[in-house]
Amino acid sequence: MLKGAIILKKMHWIMPAIILLIGVFILVLNNYKDVTAVPSDSWTREVELATTSIQSNIKTTLNSNGSYNIYYFTDNGLVEGKYNESLELIDQSSYDIPYTKWTEVYPGDKNIVYADNEAMYQTESNEKISDIQEFIPLKNGMIYQWNDKIYYLEGNSLDKRLLIESVSKETLIDVYQPTATNTYIMLSDKQRNATEYRLLKWDGKNVTEIDQQTIELEPSLTLEELSFTVDNNQLSLFINAGPLDKHTYLPEDNYYFTQQKIGSPISLNPVPFNDPFSRNDLQNVKDIELDVKDGKSELLFRAKGSTETKYRDAVEYNVYKAVLNGQGKVDVTRLSNTPWLSKNPSWVSDDVVVWLDVTGDTNKLFAAGSTDLENLPESSLSKDTGFRIVGKTMVMLASGLLTLLVTIGWYVVPLGFIGIMTFGSNNALDKGKEWVFYTPALLYVAVALYFNEQLFSEKVISRLPAYLDFPGSPFILICAFGVITYLIMATTDLKERWSIPKRITYFVAVHISFLMIFVGPFIL
């Protein structure tokens, strides 16, 4: 009986504490959903394949039996990981290849050839094959430039073949190989805002020029990156242009795309990369890979976009794909959703992508795939994920303390009213008249409703989760928490035990506490 009586006397603290704990639990649950959210409805969460301290490019091959070979660098050299269709490691080999930021690799069946910024070498013998100025790995061999000539080196026999002569050292070389027997080579020479290109086709025997044109950009822009594909006599060009004057106000990246019949005049269309999870555009589109899938031009890239996996910034680099058409329309899909800087994405197959996440001293090699694939493993809840959920929750709760600051105008008025009533000569307060309680309480609620934007700004409302974001939510939440607080007071014996100033202070404090836990975490 004694314990029960003590509990009843503490109910005015227990009941608000339960509601606040429910709010914290909902926040944790919401953060769990954010941190573990899939990249998109059609794509799975990431699966960790390996770790490495080297931020190298990733090479992949798809074998006839459906398994994958994935190549990446570690401190010990090149690693070849062999994975089955379920992305389980079945074998691993290492090759003693020194890594620099210029290192490129051709992972052939019989020979693995690597190149630095000066020469290329056969891995097994470490014998130099040739000096180079450019090195481009392909399906069954590699194209390279030395002096003013472009050669093809066959991957198995290492026999070389001269393809093109009289090529300037300043000429940009881009290659697209849709099949092993059809290779397209684009040679580009840029002069300020104009870039002249020659498009050549090599069918395995002869090299034929099939197009020659000039790409004209705005006078203030110059070509930075160029990617192209050829499909059914249609040429697709994706261009990243930067300002000629680096000290200008113009953006660093300006994206253009065209898809038209080979030989037709070039007509570029600006490409907007909309963020599928915010109202903003994606920023800093990098590591671009252009290909043709099902007759449509498709970009694989990394960019800075919205993510809810972090507890500080709401943006990070993730992996995306974009389906393009010639009129500048873009359909963007997010393929990764991690809190780290993602880079060097590469297709393993049409339905599986790999990339590297820069996580500190040890970087993580991840893979993700289409939800249509039934044999991919599910991403497990790691310690790191748990720490991020807890960390995000703690930071959001800490930011909720700002509620006390932004709503100071709400409670100054009623508390000031009580102060005047307390220190002035007022018989109503001395006699415990109830209107002295209701007047400042209703005044507090009225001020809160009138100045609700001090807490419920557009920024805060845009961040509220779905269960708090509905028409009229600021008014409903303020009134609902006010009613709940009043009911708590009405069902306890505070009226008999506490003075009016103490009851008003309790009403305001509990009401602000509710808002601080349910709404405050979304202030920052």
PDB file of all heavy atoms in Angstrom, residues 291-316:
ATOM      1  N   ASP A 291      27.328   3.926 -71.052  1.00  0.00           N
ATOM      2  CA  ASP A 291      27.120   2.665 -71.768  1.00  0.00           C
ATOM      3  C   ASP A 291      25.726   2.658 -72.385  1.00  0.00           C
ATOM      4  O   ASP A 291      24.924   3.573 -72.155  1.00  0.00           O
ATOM      5  CB  ASP A 291      27.292   1.481 -70.816  1.00  0.00           C
ATOM      6  CG  ASP A 291      27.676   0.194 -71.556  1.00  0.00           C
ATOM      7  OD1 ASP A 291      27.638   0.178 -72.802  1.00  0.00           O
ATOM      8  OD2 ASP A 291      28.014  -0.794 -70.881  1.00  0.00           O
ATOM      9  N   VAL A 292      25.448   1.641 -73.174  1.00  0.00           N
ATOM     10  CA  VAL A 292      24.120   1.463 -73.770  1.00  0.00           C
ATOM     11  C   VAL A 292      23.526   0.165 -73.231  1.00  0.00           C
ATOM     12  O   VAL A 292      24.155  -0.897 -73.313  1.00  0.00           O
ATOM     13  CB  VAL A 292      24.193   1.393 -75.308  1.00  0.00           C
ATOM     14  CG1 VAL A 292      22.809   1.117 -75.889  1.00  0.00           C
ATOM     15  CG2 VAL A 292      24.749   2.685 -75.871  1.00  0.00           C
ATOM     16  N   LYS A 293      22.316   0.259 -72.665  1.00  0.00           N
ATOM     17  CA  LYS A 293      21.629  -0.914 -72.146  1.00  0.00           C
ATOM     18  C   LYS A 293      20.193  -0.903 -72.629  1.00  0.00           C
ATOM     19  O   LYS A 293      19.480   0.094 -72.447  1.00  0.00           O
ATOM     20  CB  LYS A 293      21.679  -0.937 -70.611  1.00  0.00           C
ATOM     21  CG  LYS A 293      23.087  -1.128 -70.055  1.00  0.00           C
ATOM     22  CD  LYS A 293      23.071  -1.263 -68.541  1.00  0.00           C
ATOM     23  CE  LYS A 293      24.475  -1.509 -68.015  1.00  0.00           C
ATOM     24  NZ  LYS A 293      24.486  -1.663 -66.539  1.00  0.00           N
ATOM     25  N   ASP A 294      19.806  -1.983 -73.255  1.00  0.00           N
ATOM     26  CA  ASP A 294      18.448  -2.096 -73.816  1.00  0.00           C
ATOM     27  C   ASP A 294      18.129  -0.937 -74.745  1.00  0.00           C
ATOM     28  O   ASP A 294      17.003  -0.411 -74.762  1.00  0.00           O
ATOM     29  CB  ASP A 294      17.408  -2.167 -72.692  1.00  0.00           C
ATOM     30  CG  ASP A 294      17.608  -3.362 -71.780  1.00  0.00           C
ATOM     31  OD1 ASP A 294      18.011  -4.418 -72.290  1.00  0.00           O
ATOM     32  OD2 ASP A 294      17.374  -3.233 -70.568  1.00  0.00           O
ATOM     33  N   GLY A 295      19.123  -0.501 -75.507  1.00  0.00           N
ATOM     34  CA  GLY A 295      18.932   0.567 -76.473  1.00  0.00           C
ATOM     35  C   GLY A 295      18.902   1.958 -75.888  1.00  0.00           C
ATOM     36  O   GLY A 295      18.671   2.933 -76.613  1.00  0.00           O
ATOM     37  N   LYS A 296      19.146   2.099 -74.585  1.00  0.00           N
ATOM     38  CA  LYS A 296      19.112   3.402 -73.931  1.00  0.00           C
ATOM     39  C   LYS A 296      20.495   3.755 -73.381  1.00  0.00           C
ATOM     40  O   LYS A 296      21.205   2.896 -72.874  1.00  0.00           O
ATOM     41  CB  LYS A 296      18.093   3.406 -72.792  1.00  0.00           C
ATOM     42  CG  LYS A 296      16.663   3.151 -73.242  1.00  0.00           C
ATOM     43  CD  LYS A 296      15.717   3.141 -72.050  1.00  0.00           C
ATOM     44  CE  LYS A 296      14.273   2.868 -72.493  1.00  0.00           C
ATOM     45  NZ  LYS A 296      13.356   2.819 -71.321  1.00  0.00           N
ATOM     46  N   SER A 297      20.844   5.044 -73.485  1.00  0.00           N
ATOM     47  CA  SER A 297      22.113   5.509 -72.920  1.00  0.00           C
ATOM     48  C   SER A 297      21.990   5.586 -71.405  1.00  0.00           C
ATOM     49  O   SER A 297      21.030   6.148 -70.881  1.00  0.00           O
ATOM     50  CB  SER A 297      22.476   6.883 -73.479  1.00  0.00           C
ATOM     51  OG  SER A 297      22.739   6.796 -74.863  1.00  0.00           O
ATOM     52  N   GLU A 298      22.976   5.015 -70.729  1.00  0.00           N
ATOM     53  CA  GLU A 298      22.935   4.955 -69.268  1.00  0.00           C
ATOM     54  C   GLU A 298      24.271   5.360 -68.684  1.00  0.00           C
ATOM     55  O   GLU A 298      25.319   4.902 -69.113  1.00  0.00           O
ATOM     56  CB  GLU A 298      22.571   3.537 -68.819  1.00  0.00           C
ATOM     57  CG  GLU A 298      22.383   3.394 -67.320  1.00  0.00           C
ATOM     58  CD  GLU A 298      21.895   2.012 -66.937  1.00  0.00           C
ATOM     59  OE1 GLU A 298      20.683   1.742 -67.091  1.00  0.00           O
ATOM     60  OE2 GLU A 298      22.730   1.195 -66.509  1.00  0.00           O
ATOM     61  N   LEU A 299      24.212   6.238 -67.696  1.00  0.00           N
ATOM     62  CA  LEU A 299      25.407   6.695 -66.988  1.00  0.00           C
ATOM     63  C   LEU A 299      25.500   6.008 -65.634  1.00  0.00           C
ATOM     64  O   LEU A 299      24.499   5.887 -64.921  1.00  0.00           O
ATOM     65  CB  LEU A 299      25.358   8.203 -66.746  1.00  0.00           C
ATOM     66  CG  LEU A 299      25.640   9.152 -67.907  1.00  0.00           C
ATOM     67  CD1 LEU A 299      25.389  10.579 -67.449  1.00  0.00           C
ATOM     68  CD2 LEU A 299      27.065   9.005 -68.398  1.00  0.00           C
ATOM     69  N   LEU A 300      26.708   5.566 -65.287  1.00  0.00           N
ATOM     70  CA  LEU A 300      27.030   5.148 -63.934  1.00  0.00           C
ATOM     71  C   LEU A 300      28.005   6.177 -63.385  1.00  0.00           C
ATOM     72  O   LEU A 300      28.986   6.525 -64.040  1.00  0.00           O
ATOM     73  CB  LEU A 300      27.665   3.757 -63.932  1.00  0.00           C
ATOM     74  CG  LEU A 300      28.101   3.223 -62.559  1.00  0.00           C
ATOM     75  CD1 LEU A 300      26.891   2.930 -61.690  1.00  0.00           C
ATOM     76  CD2 LEU A 300      28.955   1.955 -62.723  1.00  0.00           C
ATOM     77  N   PHE A 301      27.747   6.688 -62.189  1.00  0.00           N
ATOM     78  CA  PHE A 301      28.595   7.754 -61.661  1.00  0.00           C
ATOM     79  C   PHE A 301      28.425   7.843 -60.149  1.00  0.00           C
ATOM     80  O   PHE A 301      27.556   7.192 -59.557  1.00  0.00           O
ATOM     81  CB  PHE A 301      28.230   9.102 -62.304  1.00  0.00           C
ATOM     82  CG  PHE A 301      26.795   9.519 -62.090  1.00  0.00           C
ATOM     83  CD1 PHE A 301      26.441  10.355 -61.037  1.00  0.00           C
ATOM     84  CD2 PHE A 301      25.792   9.079 -62.947  1.00  0.00           C
ATOM     85  CE1 PHE A 301      25.128  10.745 -60.832  1.00  0.00           C
ATOM     86  CE2 PHE A 301      24.466   9.456 -62.756  1.00  0.00           C
ATOM     87  CZ  PHE A 301      24.142  10.286 -61.700  1.00  0.00           C
ATOM     88  N   ARG A 302      29.261   8.651 -59.537  1.00  0.00           N
ATOM     89  CA  ARG A 302      29.077   8.994 -58.129  1.00  0.00           C
ATOM     90  C   ARG A 302      28.827  10.492 -58.041  1.00  0.00           C
ATOM     91  O   ARG A 302      29.323  11.277 -58.854  1.00  0.00           O
ATOM     92  CB  ARG A 302      30.289   8.612 -57.297  1.00  0.00           C
ATOM     93  CG  ARG A 302      31.587   9.245 -57.758  1.00  0.00           C
ATOM     94  CD  ARG A 302      32.372   9.831 -56.614  1.00  0.00           C
ATOM     95  NE  ARG A 302      33.721  10.222 -57.007  1.00  0.00           N
ATOM     96  CZ  ARG A 302      34.493  11.001 -56.286  1.00  0.00           C
ATOM     97  NH1 ARG A 302      34.061  11.479 -55.134  1.00  0.00           N
ATOM     98  NH2 ARG A 302      35.693  11.320 -56.698  1.00  0.00           N
ATOM     99  N   ALA A 303      28.040  10.881 -57.062  1.00  0.00           N
ATOM    100  CA  ALA A 303      27.693  12.292 -56.906  1.00  0.00           C
ATOM    101  C   ALA A 303      27.295  12.559 -55.466  1.00  0.00           C
ATOM    102  O   ALA A 303      27.000  11.636 -54.696  1.00  0.00           O
ATOM    103  CB  ALA A 303      26.557  12.679 -57.850  1.00  0.00           C
ATOM    104  N   LYS A 304      27.294  13.833 -55.116  1.00  0.00           N
ATOM    105  CA  LYS A 304      26.924  14.245 -53.767  1.00  0.00           C
ATOM    106  C   LYS A 304      25.428  14.498 -53.728  1.00  0.00           C
ATOM    107  O   LYS A 304      24.916  15.377 -54.428  1.00  0.00           O
ATOM    108  CB  LYS A 304      27.693  15.505 -53.384  1.00  0.00           C
ATOM    109  CG  LYS A 304      27.867  15.708 -51.898  1.00  0.00           C
ATOM    110  CD  LYS A 304      28.870  16.813 -51.618  1.00  0.00           C
ATOM    111  CE  LYS A 304      29.231  16.873 -50.137  1.00  0.00           C
ATOM    112  NZ  LYS A 304      30.253  17.900 -49.861  1.00  0.00           N
ATOM    113  N   GLY A 305      24.747  13.706 -52.907  1.00  0.00           N
ATOM    114  CA  GLY A 305      23.300  13.836 -52.836  1.00  0.00           C
ATOM    115  C   GLY A 305      22.780  13.548 -51.444  1.00  0.00           C
ATOM    116  O   GLY A 305      23.539  13.275 -50.504  1.00  0.00           O
ATOM    117  N   SER A 306      21.475  13.595 -51.304  1.00  0.00           N
ATOM    118  CA  SER A 306      20.823  13.447 -50.008  1.00  0.00           C
ATOM    119  C   SER A 306      20.955  12.024 -49.474  1.00  0.00           C
ATOM    120  O   SER A 306      20.856  11.049 -50.216  1.00  0.00           O
ATOM    121  CB  SER A 306      19.343  13.816 -50.137  1.00  0.00           C
ATOM    122  OG  SER A 306      18.667  13.585 -48.924  1.00  0.00           O
ATOM    123  N   THR A 307      21.193  11.912 -48.159  1.00  0.00           N
ATOM    124  CA  THR A 307      21.177  10.625 -47.470  1.00  0.00           C
ATOM    125  C   THR A 307      20.819  10.859 -46.011  1.00  0.00           C
ATOM    126  O   THR A 307      21.184  11.895 -45.438  1.00  0.00           O
ATOM    127  CB  THR A 307      22.547   9.908 -47.569  1.00  0.00           C
ATOM    128  OG1 THR A 307      22.490   8.678 -46.833  1.00  0.00           O
ATOM    129  CG2 THR A 307      23.660  10.764 -47.003  1.00  0.00           C
ATOM    130  N   GLU A 308      20.103   9.935 -45.422  1.00  0.00           N
ATOM    131  CA  GLU A 308      19.729  10.030 -44.012  1.00  0.00           C
ATOM    132  C   GLU A 308      20.558   9.081 -43.157  1.00  0.00           C
ATOM    133  O   GLU A 308      20.205   8.808 -42.006  1.00  0.00           O
ATOM    134  CB  GLU A 308      18.235   9.706 -43.841  1.00  0.00           C
ATOM    135  CG  GLU A 308      17.303  10.675 -44.542  1.00  0.00           C
ATOM    136  CD  GLU A 308      17.381  12.078 -43.964  1.00  0.00           C
ATOM    137  OE1 GLU A 308      17.728  12.200 -42.779  1.00  0.00           O
ATOM    138  OE2 GLU A 308      17.101  13.043 -44.699  1.00  0.00           O
ATOM    139  N   THR A 309      21.656   8.561 -43.706  1.00  0.00           N
ATOM    140  CA  THR A 309      22.469   7.597 -42.977  1.00  0.00           C
ATOM    141  C   THR A 309      23.430   8.256 -42.000  1.00  0.00           C
ATOM    142  O   THR A 309      24.040   7.574 -41.176  1.00  0.00           O
ATOM    143  CB  THR A 309      23.292   6.741 -43.955  1.00  0.00           C
ATOM    144  OG1 THR A 309      24.129   7.604 -44.755  1.00  0.00           O
ATOM    145  CG2 THR A 309      22.382   5.943 -44.872  1.00  0.00           C
ATOM    146  N   LYS A 310      23.591   9.582 -42.082  1.00  0.00           N
ATOM    147  CA  LYS A 310      24.547  10.287 -41.227  1.00  0.00           C
ATOM    148  C   LYS A 310      23.814  11.048 -40.127  1.00  0.00           C
ATOM    149  O   LYS A 310      22.630  11.346 -40.256  1.00  0.00           O
ATOM    150  CB  LYS A 310      25.386  11.250 -42.074  1.00  0.00           C
ATOM    151  CG  LYS A 310      26.098  10.590 -43.234  1.00  0.00           C
ATOM    152  CD  LYS A 310      26.800  11.597 -44.120  1.00  0.00           C
ATOM    153  CE  LYS A 310      28.000  12.206 -43.426  1.00  0.00           C
ATOM    154  NZ  LYS A 310      28.755  13.097 -44.323  1.00  0.00           N
ATOM    155  N   TYR A 311      24.555  11.374 -39.063  1.00  0.00           N
ATOM    156  CA  TYR A 311      23.936  12.147 -37.993  1.00  0.00           C
ATOM    157  C   TYR A 311      24.449  13.573 -37.943  1.00  0.00           C
ATOM    158  O   TYR A 311      24.151  14.321 -37.025  1.00  0.00           O
ATOM    159  CB  TYR A 311      24.120  11.462 -36.633  1.00  0.00           C
ATOM    160  CG  TYR A 311      25.546  11.143 -36.238  1.00  0.00           C
ATOM    161  CD1 TYR A 311      26.358  12.096 -35.650  1.00  0.00           C
ATOM    162  CD2 TYR A 311      26.064   9.872 -36.452  1.00  0.00           C
ATOM    163  CE1 TYR A 311      27.656  11.785 -35.267  1.00  0.00           C
ATOM    164  CE2 TYR A 311      27.357   9.559 -36.084  1.00  0.00           C
ATOM    165  CZ  TYR A 311      28.144  10.512 -35.484  1.00  0.00           C
ATOM    166  OH  TYR A 311      29.425  10.205 -35.117  1.00  0.00           O
ATOM    167  N   ARG A 312      25.212  13.973 -38.958  1.00  0.00           N
ATOM    168  CA  ARG A 312      25.597  15.374 -39.059  1.00  0.00           C
ATOM    169  C   ARG A 312      25.056  15.918 -40.382  1.00  0.00           C
ATOM    170  O   ARG A 312      23.937  16.367 -40.451  1.00  0.00           O
ATOM    171  CB  ARG A 312      27.121  15.509 -38.960  1.00  0.00           C
ATOM    172  CG  ARG A 312      27.659  15.273 -37.555  1.00  0.00           C
ATOM    173  CD  ARG A 312      29.127  15.676 -37.447  1.00  0.00           C
ATOM    174  NE  ARG A 312      29.657  15.468 -36.098  1.00  0.00           N
ATOM    175  CZ  ARG A 312      30.271  14.385 -35.707  1.00  0.00           C
ATOM    176  NH1 ARG A 312      30.441  13.379 -36.540  1.00  0.00           N
ATOM    177  NH2 ARG A 312      30.730  14.266 -34.473  1.00  0.00           N
ATOM    178  N   ASP A 313      25.907  15.869 -41.438  1.00  0.00           N
ATOM    179  CA  ASP A 313      25.457  16.357 -42.739  1.00  0.00           C
ATOM    180  C   ASP A 313      24.410  15.423 -43.329  1.00  0.00           C
ATOM    181  O   ASP A 313      24.451  14.209 -43.129  1.00  0.00           O
ATOM    182  CB  ASP A 313      26.639  16.479 -43.700  1.00  0.00           C
ATOM    183  CG  ASP A 313      27.651  17.500 -43.218  1.00  0.00           C
ATOM    184  OD1 ASP A 313      27.231  18.446 -42.536  1.00  0.00           O
ATOM    185  OD2 ASP A 313      28.854  17.334 -43.513  1.00  0.00           O
ATOM    186  N   ALA A 314      23.503  15.993 -44.086  1.00  0.00           N
ATOM    187  CA  ALA A 314      22.448  15.200 -44.728  1.00  0.00           C
ATOM    188  C   ALA A 314      22.787  14.899 -46.174  1.00  0.00           C
ATOM    189  O   ALA A 314      21.912  14.507 -46.948  1.00  0.00           O
ATOM    190  CB  ALA A 314      21.114  15.936 -44.645  1.00  0.00           C
ATOM    191  N   VAL A 315      24.070  15.111 -46.568  1.00  0.00           N
ATOM    192  CA  VAL A 315      24.498  14.803 -47.937  1.00  0.00           C
ATOM    193  C   VAL A 315      25.811  14.021 -47.888  1.00  0.00           C
ATOM    194  O   VAL A 315      26.590  14.146 -46.953  1.00  0.00           O
ATOM    195  CB  VAL A 315      24.699  16.087 -48.783  1.00  0.00           C
ATOM    196  CG1 VAL A 315      23.378  16.789 -49.010  1.00  0.00           C
ATOM    197  CG2 VAL A 315      25.693  17.037 -48.119  1.00  0.00           C
ATOM    198  N   GLU A 316      26.027  13.210 -48.915  1.00  0.00           N
ATOM    199  CA  GLU A 316      27.280  12.474 -49.048  1.00  0.00           C
ATOM    200  C   GLU A 316      27.379  11.938 -50.473  1.00  0.00           C
ATOM    201  O   GLU A 316      26.385  11.882 -51.203  1.00  0.00           O
ATOM    202  CB  GLU A 316      27.341  11.323 -48.044  1.00  0.00           C
ATOM    203  CG  GLU A 316      28.681  10.595 -47.968  1.00  0.00           C
ATOM    204  CD  GLU A 316      29.860  11.526 -47.777  1.00  0.00           C
ATOM    205  OE1 GLU A 316      30.405  11.969 -48.820  1.00  0.00           O
ATOM    206  OE2 GLU A 316      30.229  11.817 -46.621  1.00  0.00           O
TER     207      GLU A 316
END
